[in-house]
Structures are given as structure tokens and as C-alpha cells.
Amino acid sequence: MRVEGQSEDWERIIRGMIERARETAPSEPGVYKMPCGECVVDFFITAEGEERWLVAGDGHSYTRESVVVARHGDHPWVRLYSLADAAAEIARLAALNDGDLERVIAGLIESIDDREVESIVRERAGMREVPLADVADRFGIELGDERDLTPDA
């Protein structure tokens, strides 16, 4: 039974795992889906220049090291877009369209593909097959040829 030096071996192995996980963690602040494939983290830098990692549904603030150690999995990090990102993009598009925000919004609505919406619905429903019409009915939305996505009053 080898005891002497064994703790150093384990420490070296664990530090190596942490460093490999740390290298793959995002370096640009933003909102990310974590490698577990389920958790979402908001990575930002404070006014003091310190990194903070806030995991949705968890009241603690984490460091890069604690996130990569405790929150791992087989999936790659996926950058998600915040409402601030979406608002900035809409403002940019409006500026390119002579400030016509209504035209930009109408174009975005027209570009929505029912198959894309349906795949998102299935993903959020736990990968069950959920017809788009069933989801629309649940929320009181009429799916007609006009693509009226206005909820029933």
C-alpha cells in the first residue's frame, strides 16, 4: 500500500483537470450555457476588474476556478444572447433602416421559421414531440395562414 507521495499525485492530477477545464471556459463576458448542458451562467467583470460567475438559480457568486471544477460536463460552452444583446442588435438594424423600428420588428417576425420554433419548444419540453399547434392552443394563439401570433383576448 503506497501512502507516501500519493496525495501529491492526486493533487497534481486534480490541478491538471482544473487547468484543462479552465482553458476551455469562456474569456469574453456574457451569458453561457455550461458544459453540463443544463445550467446557464452570467460571466462578467466587476468595476474592480474581478471576474464573477453567476449561475442561474444559485444565489452564490463564483470564481472561474470554482465554476470549472463544480460545473462540468461533456458539452461545449455555448454563448447565449441576453436581452441587452438583442436590444443592441435591433437598434443597429433600425439605424440601418432609417430608424424605422416597426419595419425591423416586422422583418424579424416574418423571418421566424415554424420549424425553428417547434424545435425550441421540443427542446424545452424535455425532447418530447410537441406539435406547434398544441403549444399555440395552450397559450391561446391562433395559427392561421396569416400567421397571426396575437394571443386571444
Side-chain angles (χ1 to χ4, degrees):
M1 178 175 183
R2 182 178 166 226
V3 175
E4 191 174 315
Q6 203 171 27
S7 64
E8 290 85 9
D9 291 342
W10 280 113
E11 182 178 348
R12 190 178 65 255
I13 290 169
I14 292 169
R15 287 191 187 280
M17 291 170 57
I18 292 170
E19 189 55 36
R20 282 189 301 281
R22 191 177 194 280
E23 289 171 0
T24 63
S27 57
E28 181 181 344
V31 179
Y32 294 88
K33 185 181 278 189
M34 296 178 67
C36 65
E38 296 178 14
C39 297
V40 174
V41 66
D42 182 3
F43 162 43
F44 62 96
I45 299 175
T46 67
E48 293 81 24
E50 297 175 357
E51 285 188 4
R52 289 290 172 230
W53 298 72
L54 301 177
V55 178
D58 188 335
H60 297 91
S61 175
Y62 292 93
T63 64
R64 176 179 296 268
E65 288 77 14
S66 62
V67 167
V68 301
V69 170
R71 313 284 180 153
H72 62 280
D74 298 329
H75 302 283
W77 288 87
V78 177
R79 183 175 173 85
L80 304 174
Y81 294 93
S82 67
L83 291 176
D85 295 331
E89 179 62 10
I90 290 170
R92 186 187 72 78
L93 292 171
L96 292 174
N97 286 284
D98 299 322
D100 190 349
L101 187 58
E102 288 185 33
R103 182 169 43 166
V104 170
I105 299 298
L108 290 171
I109 291 170
E110 288 173 13
S111 71
I112 295 173
D113 181 357
D114 284 345
R115 290 173 305 214
E116 182 181 351
V117 173
E118 199 166 353
S119 72
I120 292 169
V121 168
R122 266 198 307 279
E123 179 183 318
R124 300 233 170 112
M127 302 307 287
R128 295 177 292 148
E129 290 294 321
V130 179
L132 183 59
D134 291 353
V135 175
D137 287 344
R138 180 175 173 203
F139 291 101
I141 298 172
E142 180 92 19
L143 291 180
D145 290 335
E146 302 90 32
R147 292 185 175 256
D148 178 15
L149 298 177
T150 312
D152 294 340

